[in-house]
Amino acid sequence: MTKKEKIKAYKAFDKDLKCRGFQFEIGKTYKYEGEISLCSSGFHACEKLSDCFNYYVFGEGTRIAEVIALDKIIKQADGSKLVTNNIEIIRELSWEEVLKLANSGHRNSG
């Protein structure tokens, strides 16, 4: 089910801040034109930071950002990821922040 919401989440990127070939920039908002579908089309993110590493390699070159998913959002049944048609890239997290959040025990425990 597609809902109109606003959700804070986390998104993983490669070293160039790309995901699936799409170039992102910190501080910008992106709108996906067309139908969104989990694992197929739209902008994907995870509410729990640790879930990012189910879909992206944890390692050198991986970058993580705090994002806001806006407007239309579809969540995966197990809650491990979501897809949206509108995403704002808020800020990049340092690896120290990533490790702390991923192991905090507060909804982001790895």
Side-chain angles (χ1 to χ4, degrees), residues 15-30:
K15 63 180 176 55
D16 298 318
L17 214 62
K18 289 183 181 179
C19 182
R20 299 182 75 164
F22 189 92
Q23 182 68 61
F24 291 88
E25 289 182 46
I26 303 297
K28 296 218 174 174
T29 301
Y30 299 92

Side-chain angles (χ1 to χ4, degrees), residues 49 66 91-103:
L49 188 145
E66 182 180 301
R91 68 185 186 96
E92 184 171 0
L93 301 176
S94 70
W95 272 106
E96 290 79 20
E97 290 176 290
V98 169
L99 294 173
K100 183 178 178 183
L101 288 168
N103 294 300

Side-chain angles (χ1 to χ4, degrees), residues 4-64:
K4 288 198 174 193
E5 297 184 64
K6 182 176 180 179
I7 296 175
K8 176 184 170 183
Y10 301 93
K11 180 160 184 60
F13 307 90
D14 70 11
K15 63 180 176 55
D16 298 318
L17 214 62
K18 289 183 181 179
C19 182
R20 299 182 75 164
F22 189 92
Q23 182 68 61
F24 291 88
E25 289 182 46
I26 303 297
K28 296 218 174 174
T29 301
Y30 299 92
K31 179 113 175 135
Y32 184 83
E33 299 299 332
E35 292 296 316
I36 59 172
S37 177
L38 280 163
C39 305
S40 172
S41 58
F43 301 117
H44 294 80
C46 300
E47 287 186 86
K48 289 175 45 182
L49 188 145
S50 58
D51 284 338
C52 289
F53 301 109
N54 293 330
Y55 304 101
Y56 225 89
V57 176
F58 181 89
E60 191 173 326
T62 303
R63 296 167 72 179
I64 305 291

